[in-house]
Amino acid sequence: FDPVQQNTHTLDVIGSVRVPHPKGARRIPIKRFALQLIVEVESKAILGHSVCLLGGISAQDALETVQQALSTWAPLQVESPLISYPDGAGFPSGVLPELAGATWSTHYLDNDSAYTSELVAERIRNRLGCAVNWGPVSDWTRRFVVEGVFNVLEKAGFQRLPSTTGSHPKDPRRQNPEQKAVDLEVDYKDLIYLIDVALATYNATPLASSGYRSPLQLLRERTDAQRCGFLPRYLPPLPHSMPDMHIETEYRTVRGKISEGRRPYVEIDGVLHTNQMLADCGALIGKQVIVHINSSDMRHVKAFMSDGRPLGVLTAQSGWNRIAHTRQMRKLINQLR
C-alpha cells in the first residue's frame, strides 16, 4: 500500500440494451465499455474499479474510481446469476476489514487528458496526501502492473465471450459481435456483474510472480505479520460542510414565488430540487446556496447556506427521484427532449 497504478482499458466485448416500446421491445448493441482499475503494485491486488458505458472517461470518472477504491466493497446482487463469486473472492476493502479505507502514498496515472486535468491532480493530492506521477508520454512501462492485469482479464475472460471483438480486427474470434450481443441478449447489466465477478476472482487467484499466492493472500500475510511493520494509513474525517473529492460543489440561486404558490427550490440541469426545510424558507428566494452534487446519483444533493449551515438533502422532483441516474444521463435526456 505504498504505490498504486490507475489506468483505463476498453474491453474487447460488446453488450446490448433492451429498449421497450408500445409493440414489444427492441434490443440494440452499445459501445464497448471503458474499464478503469486501481491496482496495488506490491501484491497486484485490484483495489477498485469503475465502468464507463460511453467508451471514454472524464476527470469525474477518474475521481469516482479512486473513491470506489477507498470504499468498502460488497458483492453485487442480481436475480438468477449465471455465475457466482468463488469462495474467498472479493476486493481487499471487503475481505480484509483492516484495509477498508486505507490509502497510499504514490499514485501513478496515465497521460490521458482525463488524468492530467487539474481537477484530478489537485483533489487527489489534497484529499489523499499522496504524490501524483504521470510518467513519460506514450510509455506504458511505468504502469506495467495494471497493464498486465488488463491482459490477464482479457485473455482469461472477456475475449472468450461470444460477443467479443477479439484482440484485433482480424481476430478469428471476432464473429459479428454486435449482432451476437443482440441475438444472445448479452445485457449490459449482466456484463457489469460479470466484470465485478472477474475482478474479484482475479484477486483470489494464485499468481506465479507472487510465489503462487493470490493478491488477497499476500495482503493478508503482510497485515498479519508482526515484523512486517505495515501500518495502514486512514484518511481523517471531513467536516460536514466540506465535500469529498468526487463531489462537485456549485452555487445555485434559490428560485420560487410565494404569491403564485411556487415554494423555494433550486434548479440543477433542468430539474427542480427541494425539501421541506428549503420549501419553508421563503426568505432565501433570490439568494445563493451551496450544493454538493454526487454525479453518479443525481436523485439527491446536499445543500448548505453560504455560512455553512446545512439545509439538508434536496430531492429531485417530477419523477427524477425514482431511478438512480448519472449527471451525464440527465444531460443527454434533456438534449433529446
Side-chain angles (χ1 to χ4, degrees):
F1 264 76
D2 190 20
V4 301
Q5 298 177 4
Q6 180 175 356
N7 207 348
T8 305
H9 174 73
T10 303
L11 294 179
D12 298 335
V13 66
I14 296 291
S16 65
V17 62
R18 181 179 179 273
V19 181
H21 60 78
K23 294 186 178 181
R26 180 183 180 187
R27 185 171 289 276
I28 60 174
I30 58 179
K31 293 181 180 180
R32 294 163 63 186
F33 298 166
L35 173 65
Q36 279 193 87
L37 294 183
I38 294 181
V39 177
E40 201 275 326
V41 172
E42 179 68 18
S43 65
K44 298 182 176 63
I46 300 172
L47 304 184
H49 75 288
S50 68
V51 179
C52 182
L53 303 182
L54 297 180
I57 65 166
S58 64
Q60 191 64 34
D61 295 328
L63 290 174
E64 290 177 1
T65 306
V66 178
Q67 184 64 28
Q68 201 269 351
L70 296 172
S71 305
T72 302
W73 173 82
L76 295 180
Q77 302 295 328
V78 297
E79 296 181 3
S80 305
L82 298 177
I83 188 172
S84 301
Y85 293 91
D87 292 338
F91 288 74
S93 61
V95 178
L96 306 174
E98 55 268 53
L99 295 181
T103 185
W104 44 88
S105 61
T106 307
H107 198 110
Y108 288 91
L109 291 167
D110 190 6
N111 276 279
D112 187 278
S113 58
Y115 294 134
T116 56
S117 68
E118 183 178 355
L119 176 69
V120 171
E122 293 307 315
R123 289 194 181 182
I124 289 179
R125 286 194 186 108
N126 292 337
R127 182 65 179 120
L128 304 186
C130 67
V132 178
N133 187 305
W134 289 275
V137 178
S138 302
D139 185 3
W140 62 269
T141 58
R142 183 64 66 92
R143 299 168 303 278
F144 70 95
V145 175
V146 66
E147 294 288 357
V149 173
F150 283 132
N151 188 47
V152 170
L153 293 173
E154 288 286 16
K155 290 183 177 180
F158 303 112
Q159 291 178 0
R160 300 172 64 183
L161 295 176
S163 62
T164 180
T165 60
S167 59
H168 54 84
K170 295 184 179 180
D171 193 321
R173 291 172 294 185
R174 184 188 182 103
Q175 300 291 331
N176 196 358
E178 292 83 1
Q179 190 61 42
K180 285 192 174 182
V182 172
D183 295 341
L184 299 177
E185 299 184 357
V186 184
D187 194 86
Y188 84 96
K189 292 183 179 179
D190 296 329
L191 286 176
I192 295 295
Y193 174 76
L194 179 61
I195 289 171
D196 199 72
V197 173
L199 301 183
T201 303
Y202 166 85
N203 280 338
T205 302
L207 304 176
S209 59
S210 299
Y212 292 96
R213 292 170 294 179
S214 70
L216 290 175
Q217 183 180 358
L218 188 60
L219 285 176
R220 167 56 70 191
E221 292 177 2
R222 296 297 171 86
T223 54
D224 289 346
Q226 297 293 331
R227 297 184 180 181
C228 181
F230 172 54
L231 295 175
R233 296 182 293 271
Y234 302 107
L235 298 178
L238 291 171
H240 73 280
S241 61
M242 181 178 293
D244 213 332
M245 60 182 172
H246 68 294
I247 301 296
E248 299 180 66
T249 303
E250 297 181 1
Y251 285 88
R252 294 285 169 169
T253 302
V254 179
R255 305 296 184 185
K257 197 169 185 179
I258 302 300
S259 61
E260 297 181 1
R262 287 184 293 166
R263 304 179 74 181
Y265 63 88
V266 296
E267 183 177 336
I268 303 174
D269 299 335
V271 178
L272 309 186
H273 289 252
T274 190
N275 63 4
Q276 190 62 46
M277 182 182 296
L278 178 61
D280 292 339
C281 296
L284 289 179
I285 295 178
K287 298 182 179 180
Q288 285 193 329
V289 296
I290 306 170
V291 292
H292 292 178
I293 302 172
N294 183 357
S295 297
S296 62
D297 189 352
M298 294 291 292
R299 292 176 296 176
H300 308 284
V301 300
K302 291 182 179 180
F304 301 87
M305 298 182 67
S306 57
D307 59 3
R309 285 180 293 171
L311 288 170
V313 177
L314 308 185
T315 302
Q317 305 298 302
S318 303
W320 285 92
N321 62 328
R322 296 175 185 169
I323 299 176
H325 59 281
T326 66
R327 190 168 199 177
Q328 196 169 32
M329 290 169 60
R330 178 180 291 187
K331 290 181 177 180
L332 290 173
I333 290 171
N334 287 333
Q335 288 176 9
L336 293 172
R337 292 175 63 192

